[in-house]
């Protein structure tokens, strides 16, 4: 009788207790302590979803986020400046990077010293939740979060800040990982447990896609696209680097694949701040993008 009962009501897998979100100070310590390890494995570009030749992925980013000559670009959560310096080697753009880690700022100086740039790159220490105070409002053509958004403990506020610093018609581009929806209760518990482990190991707060979209829509951002990055399978790096990193440094190491359910989706989210003042022109609906 008991066995029938327990089949009908399988015992739930142990669920990780809810943990408070990772705070900004924790993230700063995480990168101050681990940037050398990241660089040993990832090089200058600290992104898990990438191509075998990482510059192919950065070229893809240029095209996908529509980075162009003459733009003022904010790379929010810029790491050691690998992406920013690559973009500025290709474009006559004015790129500002902000990272919470003072150690990364120091590293970025070494990296920039070796580069020949068409544009300019300035990297500074700061909290990306303060970008409106740091840089002023309506100043950037692009705000990029390249696998940096999910560190934020207050992602609604962060999107609001990105809105403020963008010029009307400017674009917010987020490339990051998002919690997968639960396909069923059992796999859902596994996903939640694995995400709790990722958050703890990487000082992350893996984003909830629905929450992010709610804020984006509340602010009247214009949705340009949401998609999985369009990388050819033969060029995709297959997350080997992330596995190497985990094995080498024991950070987020996966002990067993037995209960493993792939817990996240990688997405690009691209949205535009309306080119008109939405609070004055409430009767307008946006149809055509200005070129
Ligand atoms: C996974 S790394 C990605 C770095 C970079 N985008 C790249 O592609 O190499 C995450 C970055 O987000 C930055 N970051 C996280 N929280 C931040 C915050 N509150 N303010 C500024 N930067 C932050 C970290 O310092 C780190 O540079």
């Amino acid at each position: 009788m008991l066995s029938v009962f327990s089949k009908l009501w399988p015992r739930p897998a142990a669920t990780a207790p809810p943990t408070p979100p990772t705070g900004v100070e924790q993230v700063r310590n995480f990168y101050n302590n681990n940037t050398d390890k990241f660089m040993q494995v990832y090089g200058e570009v600290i992104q898990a979803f990438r191509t075998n030749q990482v510059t192919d992925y950065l070229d893809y980013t240029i095209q996908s986020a529509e980075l162009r000559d003459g733009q003022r670009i904010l790379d929010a959560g810029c790491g050691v400046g690998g992406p920013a310096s690559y973009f500025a080697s290709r474009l006559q753009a004015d790129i500002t990077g902000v990272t919470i880690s003072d150690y990364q700022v120091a590293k970025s100086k070494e990296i920039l010293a070796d580069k020949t740039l068409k544009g300019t790159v300035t990297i500074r220490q700061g909290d990306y939740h303060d970008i409106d105070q740091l840089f002023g409002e309506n100043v950037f053509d692009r705000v990029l979060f390249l696998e940096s958004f999910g560190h934020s403990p207050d992602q609604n506020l962060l999107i609001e800040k990105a809105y403020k610093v963008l010029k009307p018609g400017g674009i917010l581009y987020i490339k990051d990982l998002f919690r997968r929806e639960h396909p069923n209760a059992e796999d859902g518990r596994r996903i939640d447990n694995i995400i709790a482990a990722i958050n703890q190991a990487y000082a992350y707060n893996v984003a909830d896609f629905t929450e992010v979209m709610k804020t984006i829509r509340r602010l009247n951002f214009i949705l340009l696209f949401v998609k999985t990055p369009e990388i050819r399978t033969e060029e995709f790096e297959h997350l080997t680097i992330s596995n190497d990193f985990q094995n080498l440094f024991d950070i987020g190491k996966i002990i067993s694949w037995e209960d493993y359910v792939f817990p996240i989706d990688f997405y690009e989210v691209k949205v535009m701040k309306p080119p008109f003042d939405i609070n004055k022109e409430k009767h307008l609906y946006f149809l055509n993008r200005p070129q």
Side-chain angles (χ1 to χ4, degrees), residues 24 27 31 44-47 75-80 82-83 98-101 104 126-129 146-148 151-152 204:
V24 170
V27 179
Y31 281 105
E44 297 173 6
V45 178
I46 308 173
Q47 294 181 43
D75 185 357
C78 63
V80 292
V98 62
T99 168
I100 196 68
S101 157
Q104 289 190 331
D127 181 350
Y128 55 29
H129 300 92
L146 307 176
E147 294 195 21
S148 57
H151 280 296
S152 167
Y204 231 67

Side-chain angles (χ1 to χ4, degrees), residues 6 13 26 44 88 176 178 208 224 252-253:
S6 60
Q26 257 173 287
E44 297 173 6
D176 214 328
F178 295 84
D208 180 310
L224 300 180
K253 190 170 172 180

Side-chain angles (χ1 to χ4, degrees), residues 16-196:
T19 43
T22 304
V24 170
E25 198 48 32
Q26 257 173 287
V27 179
R28 191 176 80 87
N29 291 334
F30 177 75
Y31 281 105
N32 280 350
N33 296 331
N34 292 306
T35 290
D36 282 338
K37 293 177 186 157
F38 274 110
M39 289 184 73
Q40 220 173 300
V41 180
Y42 284 80
E44 297 173 6
V45 178
I46 308 173
Q47 294 181 43
F49 187 107
R50 61 206 273 152
T51 47
N52 292 317
Q53 293 297 323
V54 77
T55 50
D56 291 342
Y57 195 81
L58 297 177
D59 285 330
Y60 172 81
T61 309
I62 291 178
Q63 168 246 313
S64 197
E66 296 179 70
L67 308 185
R68 306 252 197 273
D69 288 340
Q71 288 176 344
R72 191 162 174 211
I73 300 169
L74 177 64
D75 185 357
C78 63
V80 292
S85 56
Y86 184 77
F87 300 149
S89 75
R90 295 286 177 163
L91 301 167
Q92 269 182 326
D94 173 6
I95 306 177
T96 302
V98 62
T99 168
I100 196 68
S101 157
D102 32 299
Y103 188 80
Q104 289 190 331
V105 175
K107 278 280 155 196
S108 74
K109 290 195 188 351
E110 294 168 22
I111 285 166
L112 282 165
D114 283 348
K115 298 274 162 76
T116 310
L117 304 181
K118 284 189 191 166
T120 58
V121 177
T122 313
I123 293 194
R124 60 167 297 174
Q125 195 277 337
D127 181 350
Y128 55 29
H129 300 92
D130 298 333
I131 48 181
D132 52 336
Q133 289 138 51
L134 295 173
F135 306 113
E137 299 190 15
N138 302 311
V139 289
F140 291 108
D141 299 286
R142 298 287 181 272
V143 174
L144 312 176
F145 290 96
L146 307 176
E147 294 195 21
S148 57
F149 179 82
H151 280 296
S152 167
D154 192 344
Q155 295 170 357
N156 295 334
L157 177 73
L158 191 55
I159 297 170
E160 287 169 12
K161 294 301 180 89
Y163 186 96
K164 279 191 178 171
V165 301
L166 277 169
K167 294 177 187 170
I171 287 176
L172 164 64
Y173 175 88
I174 301 171
K175 179 252 193 169
D176 214 328
L177 36 106
F178 295 84
R179 180 188 296 266
R180 264 185 72 200
E181 287 295 324
H182 293 182
N184 56 58
E186 183 62 26
D187 286 350
R189 267 190 295 275
R190 289 181 176 152
I191 286 172
D192 286 350
N193 287 345
I194 297 165
I195 294 225

